[in-house]
mmCIF file of all heavy atoms in Angstrom:
data_model
loop_
_atom_site.group_PDB
_atom_site.id
_atom_site.type_symbol
_atom_site.label_atom_id
_atom_site.label_comp_id
_atom_site.label_asym_id
_atom_site.label_seq_id
_atom_site.Cartn_x
_atom_site.Cartn_y
_atom_site.Cartn_z
ATOM 1 N N LYS L 1124 13.844 -11.116 6.713
ATOM 2 C CA LYS L 1124 13.680 -11.868 7.854
ATOM 3 C C LYS L 1124 13.621 -11.204 9.183
ATOM 4 O O LYS L 1124 12.910 -11.596 10.101
ATOM 5 C CB LYS L 1124 14.997 -12.799 7.978
ATOM 6 C CG LYS L 1124 15.050 -13.915 6.804
ATOM 7 C CD LYS L 1124 16.390 -14.691 6.952
ATOM 8 C CE LYS L 1124 16.426 -15.815 5.784
ATOM 9 N NZ LYS L 1124 17.648 -16.620 5.949
ATOM 10 N N LEU L 1125 14.301 -9.977 9.232
ATOM 11 C CA LEU L 1125 14.214 -9.248 10.375
ATOM 12 C C LEU L 1125 12.780 -8.514 10.573
ATOM 13 O O LEU L 1125 12.358 -8.282 11.622
ATOM 14 C CB LEU L 1125 15.247 -8.092 10.352
ATOM 15 C CG LEU L 1125 16.805 -8.699 10.417
ATOM 16 C CD1 LEU L 1125 17.671 -7.490 10.299
ATOM 17 C CD2 LEU L 1125 16.923 -9.337 11.895
ATOM 18 N N ALA L 1126 12.086 -8.180 9.395
ATOM 19 C CA ALA L 1126 10.961 -7.489 9.351
ATOM 20 C C ALA L 1126 9.707 -8.474 9.535
ATOM 21 O O ALA L 1126 8.591 -7.990 9.834
ATOM 22 C CB ALA L 1126 10.731 -6.635 8.058
ATOM 23 N N SER L 1127 9.902 -9.643 9.240
ATOM 24 C CA SER L 1127 8.581 -10.606 9.301
ATOM 25 C C SER L 1127 8.091 -10.632 10.736
ATOM 26 O O SER L 1127 6.799 -10.727 10.867
ATOM 27 C CB SER L 1127 9.094 -12.090 8.816
ATOM 28 O OG SER L 1127 10.182 -12.519 9.571
ATOM 29 N N PRO L 1128 8.893 -10.725 11.764
ATOM 30 C CA PRO L 1128 8.173 -10.854 13.101
ATOM 31 C C PRO L 1128 7.353 -9.456 13.397
ATOM 32 O O PRO L 1128 6.334 -9.524 14.090
ATOM 33 C CB PRO L 1128 9.385 -11.009 14.071
ATOM 34 C CG PRO L 1128 10.494 -11.565 13.320
ATOM 35 C CD PRO L 1128 10.349 -10.982 11.893
ATOM 36 N N LEU L 1129 7.858 -8.475 12.919
ATOM 37 C CA LEU L 1129 7.206 -7.117 13.110
ATOM 38 C C LEU L 1129 5.932 -7.096 12.308
ATOM 39 O O LEU L 1129 4.813 -6.686 12.868
ATOM 40 C CB LEU L 1129 8.078 -6.008 12.775
ATOM 41 C CG LEU L 1129 7.537 -4.614 12.921
ATOM 42 C CD1 LEU L 1129 7.250 -4.443 14.314
ATOM 43 C CD2 LEU L 1129 8.548 -3.517 12.433
ATOM 44 N N VAL L 1130 5.952 -7.633 11.174
ATOM 45 C CA VAL L 1130 4.730 -7.753 10.386
ATOM 46 C C VAL L 1130 3.640 -8.648 10.958
ATOM 47 O O VAL L 1130 2.443 -8.340 11.083
ATOM 48 C CB VAL L 1130 4.927 -8.087 8.947
ATOM 49 C CG1 VAL L 1130 3.639 -8.397 8.134
ATOM 50 C CG2 VAL L 1130 5.761 -7.144 8.229
ATOM 51 N N GLN L 1131 4.064 -9.719 11.487
ATOM 52 C CA GLN L 1131 3.013 -10.685 12.196
ATOM 53 C C GLN L 1131 2.554 -10.020 13.422
ATOM 54 O O GLN L 1131 1.309 -10.226 13.806
ATOM 55 C CB GLN L 1131 3.891 -12.032 12.540
ATOM 56 C CG GLN L 1131 4.322 -12.873 11.294
ATOM 57 C CD GLN L 1131 5.105 -14.117 11.669
ATOM 58 O OE1 GLN L 1131 5.330 -14.296 12.943
ATOM 59 N NE2 GLN L 1131 5.434 -14.786 10.735
ATOM 60 N N GLN L 1132 3.275 -9.411 14.298
ATOM 61 C CA GLN L 1132 3.014 -8.661 15.485
ATOM 62 C C GLN L 1132 1.805 -7.624 15.095
ATOM 63 O O GLN L 1132 0.889 -7.463 15.726
ATOM 64 C CB GLN L 1132 4.040 -8.178 16.170
ATOM 65 C CG GLN L 1132 3.669 -7.534 17.523
ATOM 66 C CD GLN L 1132 4.874 -7.025 18.179
ATOM 67 O OE1 GLN L 1132 6.072 -7.022 17.733
ATOM 68 N NE2 GLN L 1132 4.645 -6.395 19.448
ATOM 69 N N THR L 1133 2.075 -6.951 13.931
ATOM 70 C CA THR L 1133 1.009 -5.963 13.566
ATOM 71 C C THR L 1133 -0.279 -6.492 13.051
ATOM 72 O O THR L 1133 -1.282 -5.948 13.532
ATOM 73 C CB THR L 1133 1.705 -5.015 12.397
ATOM 74 O OG1 THR L 1133 2.983 -4.642 12.779
ATOM 75 C CG2 THR L 1133 0.785 -3.972 11.911
ATOM 76 N N GLN L 1134 -0.137 -7.675 12.374
ATOM 77 C CA GLN L 1134 -1.370 -8.361 11.974
ATOM 78 C C GLN L 1134 -2.177 -8.832 13.214
ATOM 79 O O GLN L 1134 -3.436 -8.740 13.244
ATOM 80 C CB GLN L 1134 -1.057 -9.410 11.045
ATOM 81 C CG GLN L 1134 -0.572 -9.072 9.713
ATOM 82 C CD GLN L 1134 -0.239 -10.222 8.752
ATOM 83 O OE1 GLN L 1134 -0.308 -11.333 9.329
ATOM 84 N NE2 GLN L 1134 0.062 -9.865 7.555
ATOM 85 N N LEU L 1135 -1.490 -9.352 14.127
ATOM 86 C CA LEU L 1135 -2.166 -9.900 15.423
ATOM 87 C C LEU L 1135 -2.867 -8.688 16.064
ATOM 88 O O LEU L 1135 -3.946 -8.800 16.681
ATOM 89 C CB LEU L 1135 -1.057 -10.538 16.337
ATOM 90 C CG LEU L 1135 -0.537 -11.909 15.854
ATOM 91 C CD1 LEU L 1135 0.470 -12.406 16.714
ATOM 92 C CD2 LEU L 1135 -1.796 -12.905 15.622
ATOM 93 N N LEU L 1136 -2.176 -7.616 16.169
ATOM 94 C CA LEU L 1136 -2.690 -6.432 16.903
ATOM 95 C C LEU L 1136 -4.018 -5.858 16.092
ATOM 96 O O LEU L 1136 -4.985 -5.536 16.754
ATOM 97 C CB LEU L 1136 -1.730 -5.379 16.979
ATOM 98 C CG LEU L 1136 -2.116 -4.046 17.751
ATOM 99 C CD1 LEU L 1136 -2.512 -4.398 19.152
ATOM 100 C CD2 LEU L 1136 -0.991 -2.959 17.745
ATOM 101 N N ALA L 1137 -3.940 -5.917 14.796
ATOM 102 C CA ALA L 1137 -5.066 -5.456 13.976
ATOM 103 C C ALA L 1137 -6.319 -6.359 14.157
ATOM 104 O O ALA L 1137 -7.437 -5.943 14.194
ATOM 105 C CB ALA L 1137 -4.674 -5.347 12.547
ATOM 106 N N GLN L 1138 -5.989 -7.705 14.156
ATOM 107 C CA GLN L 1138 -7.108 -8.731 14.327
ATOM 108 C C GLN L 1138 -7.766 -8.552 15.740
ATOM 109 O O GLN L 1138 -8.836 -8.720 15.868
ATOM 110 C CB GLN L 1138 -6.538 -10.162 14.264
ATOM 111 C CG GLN L 1138 -6.210 -10.457 12.836
ATOM 112 C CD GLN L 1138 -5.570 -11.966 12.700
ATOM 113 O OE1 GLN L 1138 -5.600 -12.621 13.558
ATOM 114 N NE2 GLN L 1138 -5.212 -12.375 11.523
ATOM 115 N N ALA L 1139 -6.957 -8.173 16.752
ATOM 116 C CA ALA L 1139 -7.473 -7.984 18.057
ATOM 117 C C ALA L 1139 -8.419 -6.784 18.080
ATOM 118 O O ALA L 1139 -9.391 -6.751 18.834
ATOM 119 C CB ALA L 1139 -6.425 -7.840 19.119
ATOM 120 N N ARG L 1140 -8.150 -5.749 17.314
ATOM 121 C CA ARG L 1140 -8.907 -4.600 17.347
ATOM 122 C C ARG L 1140 -10.077 -4.575 16.309
ATOM 123 O O ARG L 1140 -11.002 -3.772 16.208
ATOM 124 C CB ARG L 1140 -8.153 -3.299 16.814
ATOM 125 C CG ARG L 1140 -7.085 -2.997 17.922
ATOM 126 C CD ARG L 1140 -6.251 -1.801 17.342
ATOM 127 N NE ARG L 1140 -5.227 -1.329 18.399
ATOM 128 C CZ ARG L 1140 -4.390 -0.338 18.155
ATOM 129 N NH1 ARG L 1140 -4.493 0.361 17.046
ATOM 130 N NH2 ARG L 1140 -3.523 -0.117 19.109
ATOM 131 N N GLY L 1141 -10.218 -5.809 15.544
ATOM 132 C CA GLY L 1141 -11.325 -6.032 14.588
ATOM 133 C C GLY L 1141 -11.187 -5.229 13.229
ATOM 134 O O GLY L 1141 -12.150 -4.980 12.694
ATOM 135 N N LEU L 1142 -9.993 -4.908 12.839
ATOM 136 C CA LEU L 1142 -9.673 -4.044 11.758
ATOM 137 C C LEU L 1142 -9.028 -4.837 10.619
ATOM 138 O O LEU L 1142 -8.711 -4.368 9.622
ATOM 139 C CB LEU L 1142 -8.948 -2.861 11.936
ATOM 140 C CG LEU L 1142 -9.565 -1.875 12.994
ATOM 141 C CD1 LEU L 1142 -8.562 -0.740 13.310
ATOM 142 C CD2 LEU L 1142 -10.911 -1.432 12.461
ATOM 143 N N ALA L 1143 -8.771 -6.179 10.795
ATOM 144 C CA ALA L 1143 -8.051 -6.938 9.839
ATOM 145 C C ALA L 1143 -8.974 -7.319 8.658
ATOM 146 O O ALA L 1143 -10.146 -7.553 8.806
ATOM 147 C CB ALA L 1143 -7.502 -8.226 10.498
ATOM 148 N N THR L 1144 -8.350 -7.331 7.557
ATOM 149 C CA THR L 1144 -9.242 -7.550 6.267
ATOM 150 C C THR L 1144 -8.656 -8.957 5.700
ATOM 151 O O THR L 1144 -9.440 -9.549 4.775
ATOM 152 C CB THR L 1144 -8.876 -6.555 5.144
ATOM 153 O OG1 THR L 1144 -7.464 -6.411 4.943
ATOM 154 C CG2 THR L 1144 -9.349 -5.264 5.659
ATOM 155 N N VAL L 1145 -7.524 -9.395 6.240
ATOM 156 C CA VAL L 1145 -7.031 -10.724 5.757
ATOM 157 C C VAL L 1145 -7.834 -11.878 6.462
ATOM 158 O O VAL L 1145 -7.910 -11.963 7.622
ATOM 159 C CB VAL L 1145 -5.473 -10.923 5.977
ATOM 160 C CG1 VAL L 1145 -5.071 -12.302 5.516
ATOM 161 C CG2 VAL L 1145 -4.794 -9.803 5.436
ATOM 162 N N GLY L 1146 -8.569 -12.685 5.608
ATOM 163 C CA GLY L 1146 -9.236 -13.707 6.106
ATOM 164 C C GLY L 1146 -10.464 -13.454 6.815
ATOM 165 O O GLY L 1146 -11.195 -14.075 7.541
ATOM 166 N N ALA L 1147 -11.032 -12.103 6.734
ATOM 167 C CA ALA L 1147 -12.251 -11.566 7.193
ATOM 168 C C ALA L 1147 -13.369 -12.194 6.542
ATOM 169 O O ALA L 1147 -13.449 -12.576 5.342
ATOM 170 C CB ALA L 1147 -12.322 -10.094 7.148
ATOM 171 N N GLN L 1148 -14.491 -12.466 7.326
ATOM 172 C CA GLN L 1148 -15.768 -13.178 6.838
ATOM 173 C C GLN L 1148 -16.419 -12.040 5.929
ATOM 174 O O GLN L 1148 -16.722 -11.049 6.389
ATOM 175 C CB GLN L 1148 -16.640 -13.679 7.833
ATOM 176 C CG GLN L 1148 -17.803 -14.370 7.384
ATOM 177 C CD GLN L 1148 -18.639 -14.897 8.635
ATOM 178 O OE1 GLN L 1148 -18.296 -14.736 9.656
ATOM 179 N NE2 GLN L 1148 -19.669 -15.769 8.188
ATOM 180 N N GLN L 1149 -16.777 -12.546 4.697
ATOM 181 C CA GLN L 1149 -17.665 -11.658 3.779
ATOM 182 C C GLN L 1149 -18.960 -11.538 4.366
ATOM 183 O O GLN L 1149 -19.533 -12.505 5.022
ATOM 184 C CB GLN L 1149 -17.549 -12.115 2.444
ATOM 185 C CG GLN L 1149 -16.151 -12.275 1.821
ATOM 186 C CD GLN L 1149 -15.449 -10.885 1.748
ATOM 187 O OE1 GLN L 1149 -16.381 -9.846 1.438
ATOM 188 N NE2 GLN L 1149 -14.227 -10.720 1.816
ATOM 189 N N PRO L 1150 -19.587 -10.375 4.107
ATOM 190 C CA PRO L 1150 -21.040 -10.174 4.541
ATOM 191 C C PRO L 1150 -21.896 -11.151 3.834
ATOM 192 O O PRO L 1150 -21.767 -11.493 2.622
ATOM 193 C CB PRO L 1150 -21.363 -8.763 4.156
ATOM 194 C CG PRO L 1150 -20.362 -8.436 3.103
ATOM 195 C CD PRO L 1150 -19.049 -9.233 3.371
#
């Protein structure tokens, strides 16, 4: 429970940089 906000924040930061693979559009 304590680590879940940190994981969500990391995913948002990765999506902003264009490096996220979760939910990324396939070529």
